[in-house]
Amino acid sequence: MRNKSCTTNLLEFLETVTAANDNGHAVDVVYLDFSKAFDKVPHRRLVEKFKAHGIAGKVLGWVQAWLTGRQQRTVLNGEASDWADVDSGVPQGLVFGPLAFVIYINDIDNVTRLITIMNKFADDTKCGQVIMSPGDIAILQKCLDDLVDWADKWGMSFNLTKCKVMHVGRTNPMAVYTMSGHTMDSIDFERDIGVKVHKSLRPSLQCSEAANRANAVLGQVSRAFHFRDRRVFVQLYKQYVRPHLEFAVPAWSPWTQGDKESLEKVQRRAVRMVSGLQGDTYEAKLKDLGLLSLEDRRTKYDLVQTFKIIRGFDDVKSDIWFSLVGENPARLTRHSNDPLNINTRHPRCEIRKNFFSNRVIDKWNYLPSDLKNSVTVTSFKKKVHDLLTNNYFSH
């Protein structure tokens, strides 16, 4: 959806989970899997959902015309089946497909309103509950029963063997949950919108996988291009290798030296492959190439994401993560001179201290006021990049 992303979805989810963990509470997270999600949406009911969202007139007529009269057939070894009418499913590969699916399942919020977590990203859906008493377990189980009833009512179904539960927290009672009589499997980790989330909430597993994938792609690039001039090879690195190291990274940015080094080693290896560089050290070669270290780039991503949240460029509620000085002017702090500064907090556990909404506070508050008041995201990115190039946060 516009101004929302995998990153904001993960940050919102993990904000709730890490905060509960810091308060000593357990959390049960259920990862749901729709069976043949995009293929099972009934066209007539989809049109009714469009109407319920206030879509009418020519737009609704266009949707109806687009869905009506669709046919398909199978061709194998030159032999074709008869044409068959398609009365369900939203075509994939188009912007409209995921949007139509989101509209169709949007009202599952009505049957999950009593639980703590309900996050949807197209057909990737997760729900959960902070567990403080047996009553919370009962609420989550009731929610799962209601979801099954909702799916039956609206012509959808869940792939029960792929619906899993993750028990987070040392005091977790490890409750057993069921859907349609099927006992859900308990998992240690799950790939959540492309990022591996472990029940410990540590990013080590994601760091390891990201480094392995990036190294594999870097190896393919190095074998394909034997002449590695800085212009072409660095561009290939930026386009094909580095994205594996930075996808949605504000949600899983590492803090232990081992995890940070596992990612940085990939860029060190890439830099060594470039021909004709000046300088003997990794830092000197980065400067020669005009690159930042991956650690500095993660700081940049954190600050840019904070800017987008606080200044409203992302369609999310900033108070999920931050309390601004300007929102409570009566409270005097050493940062009260800038209303866009973030009030500090005092988390207890290591996970919470190093999560996005806490680790970014000091660096954000240290930025010049005029930078935080940048007009566009692009101008803010450029200015932050310049500060990091000049080691601004080392002063």
Side-chain angles (χ1 to χ4, degrees):
M1 296 179 66
R2 185 178 177 84
N3 299 327
K4 293 185 178 182
S5 64
C6 295
T7 301
T8 57
N9 183 294
L10 288 165
L11 286 176
E12 185 175 327
F13 162 65
L14 290 170
E15 175 67 23
T16 301
V17 177
T18 56
N21 184 72
D22 194 53
N23 290 326
H25 303 316
V27 183
D28 284 344
V29 181
V30 176
Y31 289 92
L32 301 171
D33 187 90
F34 286 100
S35 180
K36 299 180 180 179
F38 284 79
D39 298 329
K40 297 193 70 171
V41 176
H43 289 169
R44 290 184 180 180
R45 295 184 181 185
L46 176 60
V47 170
E48 294 302 315
K49 292 287 185 81
F50 270 82
K51 291 179 181 177
H53 280 74
I55 299 171
K58 291 184 178 180
V59 174
L60 182 63
W62 175 83
V63 171
Q64 288 176 301
W66 189 62
L67 293 173
T68 303
R70 302 184 72 89
Q71 292 186 319
Q72 65 184 13
R73 65 175 179 173
T74 302
V75 179
L76 181 63
N77 295 329
E79 298 294 327
S81 67
D82 294 333
W83 287 100
D85 292 331
V86 179
D87 56 6
S88 67
V90 290
Q92 299 183 50
L94 305 173
V95 173
F96 178 78
L99 179 60
F101 183 79
V102 167
I103 289 175
Y104 193 76
I105 70 167
N106 197 42
D107 64 329
I108 63 175
D109 288 350
N110 295 332
V111 299
T112 60
R113 59 184 179 275
L114 296 180
I115 60 174
T116 313
I117 299 169
M118 184 66 225
N119 289 94
K120 306 186 294 290
F121 196 95
D123 59 334
D124 289 310
T125 305
K126 53 184 172 283
C127 61
Q129 177 75 350
V130 176
I131 307 297
M132 293 185 285
S133 69
D136 294 316
I137 297 173
I139 289 173
L140 183 54
Q141 180 60 63
K142 176 64 165 57
C143 167
L144 296 175
D145 295 338
D146 290 344
L147 283 170
V148 171
D149 292 340
W150 175 91
D152 290 340
K153 176 182 177 181
W154 289 101
M156 302 290 287
S157 63
F158 292 101
N159 189 335
L160 301 180
T161 60
K162 292 186 178 181
C163 292
K164 313 284 187 181
V165 60
M166 182 187 296
H167 301 289
V168 179
R170 288 179 295 179
T171 61
N172 198 298
M174 307 295 287
V176 176
Y177 298 95
T178 62
M179 294 183 73
S180 294
H182 174 83
T183 301
M184 302 177 67
D185 292 335
S186 176
I187 55 174
D188 291 339
F189 66 89
E190 177 68 8
R191 186 181 299 281
D192 189 351
I193 323 180
V195 172
K196 279 191 173 180
V197 177
H198 193 271
K199 67 179 183 180
S200 68
L201 302 179
R202 294 180 177 275
S204 299
L205 191 62
Q206 171 63 20
C207 291
S208 176
E209 176 163 297
N212 289 338
R213 286 193 175 196
N215 263 322
V217 176
L218 180 59
Q220 293 172 344
V221 171
S222 67
R223 289 190 294 271
F225 294 85
H226 298 289
F227 181 69
R228 301 162 186 168
D229 69 293
R230 68 173 64 200
R231 186 180 67 84
V232 175
F233 194 78
V234 171
Q235 185 59 38
L236 290 169
Y237 165 73
K238 289 180 179 180
Q239 186 168 348
Y240 295 108
V241 179
R242 198 167 63 185
H244 291 286
L245 302 169
E246 297 180 334
F247 173 73
V249 74
W252 56 272
S253 184
W255 60 87
T256 65
Q257 192 59 38
D259 286 342
K260 290 192 287 187
E261 188 59 26
S262 70
L263 299 176
E264 203 72 46
K265 278 182 180 179
V266 182
Q267 183 162 279
R268 290 178 187 273
R269 180 187 172 203
V271 167
R272 287 197 302 268
M273 293 179 178
V274 181
S275 304
L277 292 183
Q278 302 297 319
D280 297 326
T281 66
Y282 172 60
E283 290 73 20
K285 291 178 180 178
L286 285 180
K287 187 174 182 179
D288 190 18
L289 290 171
L291 296 176
L292 294 173
S293 68
L294 293 181
E295 185 168 5
D296 281 344
R297 284 181 59 82
R298 289 192 294 273
T299 296
K300 177 182 174 181
Y301 275 112
D302 277 351
L303 292 172
V304 170
Q305 186 60 58
T306 303
F307 176 78
K308 290 163 70 176
I309 289 172
I310 290 177
R311 297 298 308 279
F313 288 96
D314 276 342
D315 185 16
V316 294
K317 296 179 180 179
S318 63
D319 59 4
I320 293 175
W321 299 276
F322 307 120
S323 167
L324 299 183
V325 168
E327 295 169 350
N328 189 8
R331 180 181 177 185
L332 297 177
T333 70
R334 64 190 181 93
H335 298 301
S336 60
N337 61 316
D338 189 340
L340 287 180
N341 279 350
I342 303 170
N343 288 315
T344 57
R345 290 177 291 193
H346 303 285
R348 292 175 294 180
C349 69
E350 179 189 25
I351 301 294
R352 185 64 176 163
K353 288 178 182 177
N354 291 284
F355 184 64
F356 166 74
S357 58
N358 287 294
R359 69 170 181 265
V360 77
I361 292 176
D362 288 342
K363 289 181 179 177
W364 172 264
N365 290 346
Y366 192 56
L367 292 176
S369 295
D370 63 323
L371 178 52
K372 285 178 276 193
N373 282 285
S374 298
V375 177
T376 66
V377 176
T378 301
S379 63
F380 180 83
K381 283 182 181 179
K382 184 179 183 306
K383 293 174 183 176
V384 169
H385 183 90
D386 292 342
L387 292 180
L388 290 168
T389 300
N390 293 316
N391 298 316
Y392 176 78
F393 293 106
S394 299
H395 295 166

